[in-house]
């Protein structure tokens, strides 16, 4: 595939993400830390602005608002990483309200303008945290609110208020462009999916969300069977076509909230929030059946209490190893702390189907693949397996 076409596809994917979804750099943890930082500096600025200005009676209201901002900084820094994403809309609007109130109670026009400049924090938050439309909505609210507050406070000319508005709008445009570029750093240029970096960041957030809400979470590792043979026999252009086909089919079929990534080479990874292991296995089997000409081996694992990210992915990796050991072109579910015993169906044929690891590998690698990886006898199997000593960790776990 020509390099210009690849770059064009990558840019289109990044632009689509920027329009339709929140920036990928804005995890809940990042949002909480950023919001806490801005509240803290805004509160500190409010304290400084009121010192030495006006009478003591004129200063108590701005000081009280500054203390409220500092308290919000402590709360957001301590507990913000556990909050749902929608809460941050309220907190950004609350920051706008605090700034407008500070402008209205400022003792003079200079202090009012200094307080209004804190709206820049709101603009950065909105464009870093939310989708383009949502960020625009927060920007309109902030600019309108601060302009009206400056005019009501008195002593500030309309032209000065409008000049500040233009600065805020320009800041929003620049921040949005930078956020889109940063999100692109977490994208695979060939498929438009997340790369390893983006997947690791999403995993941390979804695991934290699973602990907070007690909702299940499943992870899937996907390998394209005989992919090296395709590249060797037919060239990398055909191999790239296979990878894009897998990415396009799976992306179209996955539920909202699912995270699909390409780790590199022929390896894909998938996170399914709100889905238990058996349900995830059924979904994987259904999607596999949509491209019978491309054989995939898939390993599924459900997140269990107390597991780390590396432990979860190690379980999925071992299930993937089992899938390859049993003949490729199938999906296996790994028994683990995320599953109850009644969820795991015993596999009587498993023992008889495996004579030895070397024999299994030999039996599954014979033959020469066609233009696409070798077709499998049928869609991914739904057989579930329990841990066995024949399932070592084939590759390193994610660095999260």
């Amino acid at each position: 595939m020509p390099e210009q076409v690849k770059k064009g596809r990558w840019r289109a994917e990044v632009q689509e993400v920027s329009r339709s979804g929140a920036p990928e750099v804005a995890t809940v943890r990042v949002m909480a830390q950023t919001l806490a930082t801005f509240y803290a500096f805004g509160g500190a600025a409010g304290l400084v602005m009121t010192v030495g200005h006006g009478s003591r009676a004129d200063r108590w209201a701005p000081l009280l608002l500054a203390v409220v901002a500092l308290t919000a900084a402590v709360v957001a820094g301590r507990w913000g990483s556990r909050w749902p994403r929608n809460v941050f809309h309220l907190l950004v609007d609350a920051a706008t309200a605090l700034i407008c109130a500070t402008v209205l109670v400022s003792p003079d026009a200079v202090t009012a303008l200094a307080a209004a400049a804190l709206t820049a924090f709101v603009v950065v938050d909105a464009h870093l945290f939310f989708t383009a439309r949502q960020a625009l909505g927060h920007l309109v609210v902030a600019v309108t609110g601060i302009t009206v507050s400056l005019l009501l406070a008195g002593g500030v000319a309309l032209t000065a208020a409008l000049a500040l508005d233009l600065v805020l709008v320009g800041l929003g445009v620049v921040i949005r462009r930078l956020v889109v570029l940063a999100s692109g750093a977490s994208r695979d240029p060939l498929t438009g999916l997340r790369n390893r970096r983006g997947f690791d960041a999403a995993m941390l957030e979804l695991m934290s969300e699973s602990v907070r809400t007690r909702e299940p979470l499943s992870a899937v590792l996907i390998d394209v069977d005989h992919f090296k043979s395709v590249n060797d026999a037919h060239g990398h252009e055909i191999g790239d076509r296979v990878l894009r086909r897998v990415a396009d089919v799976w992306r179209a079929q996955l539920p909202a909230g699912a995270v699909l990534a390409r780790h590199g080479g022929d390896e894909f990874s998938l996170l399914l929030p709100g889905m238990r292991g058996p349900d995830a296995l059924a979904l994987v089997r259904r999607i596999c059946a949509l491209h019978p000409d491309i054989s995939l081996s898939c390993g599924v694992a459900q997140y269990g209490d107390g597991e780390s990210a590396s432990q979860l992915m190690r379980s999925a990796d071992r299930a993937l190893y089992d899938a390859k050991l049993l003949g490729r072109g199938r999906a296996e579910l790994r028994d683990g702390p995320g599953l109850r015993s009644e969820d795991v169906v015993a596999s009587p044929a498993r023992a008889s189907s495996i004579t030895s690891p070397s024999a299994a590998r030999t039996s599954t690698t014979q033959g020469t693949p066609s233009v696409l990886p070798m077709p499998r006898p049928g869609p991914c199997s739904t057989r579930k397996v329990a841990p066995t000593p024949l399932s070592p960790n084939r590759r390193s776990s994610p660095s999260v």
Side-chain angles (χ1 to χ4, degrees), residues 202-287:
M203 173 175 282
L204 286 176
E205 181 175 1
L206 290 178
M207 288 177 63
S208 176
E209 182 77 5
S210 177
V211 171
R212 184 180 64 82
T213 63
R214 309 302 300 172
E215 288 291 319
L217 171 66
S218 293
V220 185
L221 283 177
I222 305 164
D223 267 8
V224 181
D225 294 329
H226 309 292
F227 185 71
K228 185 177 183 302
S229 299
V230 174
N231 276 336
D232 292 344
H234 305 284
H236 289 281
E237 183 175 354
I238 297 299
D240 290 349
R241 189 181 304 171
V242 171
L243 295 175
R244 289 195 301 273
R245 168 102 184 277
V246 171
D248 292 342
V249 171
W250 282 69
R251 181 165 39 204
Q253 296 297 321
L254 289 172
V259 175
L260 180 63
R262 181 189 174 210
H263 277 193
D266 63 342
E267 299 176 0
F268 295 84
S269 52
L270 173 63
L271 294 171
L272 294 168
M275 193 168 291
R276 299 176 62 251
D279 298 327
L281 184 63
L283 175 66
V284 168
R285 177 183 181 238
R286 181 179 65 79
I287 300 177

Side-chain angles (χ1 to χ4, degrees), residues 327-361:
R328 300 179 187 264
R330 65 195 305 125
E332 298 293 346
L333 174 61
R334 187 70 175 177
D335 184 13
L339 293 176
R340 299 174 301 181
S341 58
E342 58 266 30
D343 294 328
V344 180
V345 179
S347 181
R350 186 174 189 277
S352 61
S353 65
I354 302 177
T355 56
S356 69
S358 60
R361 293 190 189 97

Side-chain angles (χ1 to χ4, degrees), residues 55-118:
S55 64
R56 181 172 300 178
D58 293 333
R59 294 201 301 265
W60 73 266
L63 286 174
L64 178 60
L65 292 172
V67 171
V68 171
L70 292 172
T71 302
V74 173
V75 173
R78 178 65 179 85
W79 293 286
S81 60
R82 304 177 186 176
W83 295 339
R85 298 184 70 93
N86 289 337
V87 170
F88 290 90
H89 286 285
L90 299 177
L91 295 175
V92 170
D93 285 337
T96 299
L98 276 175
I99 295 171
C100 291
T102 303
V103 170
L104 290 172
V105 299
S106 295
D108 53 60
V110 174
T111 305
L113 274 174
L118 296 177

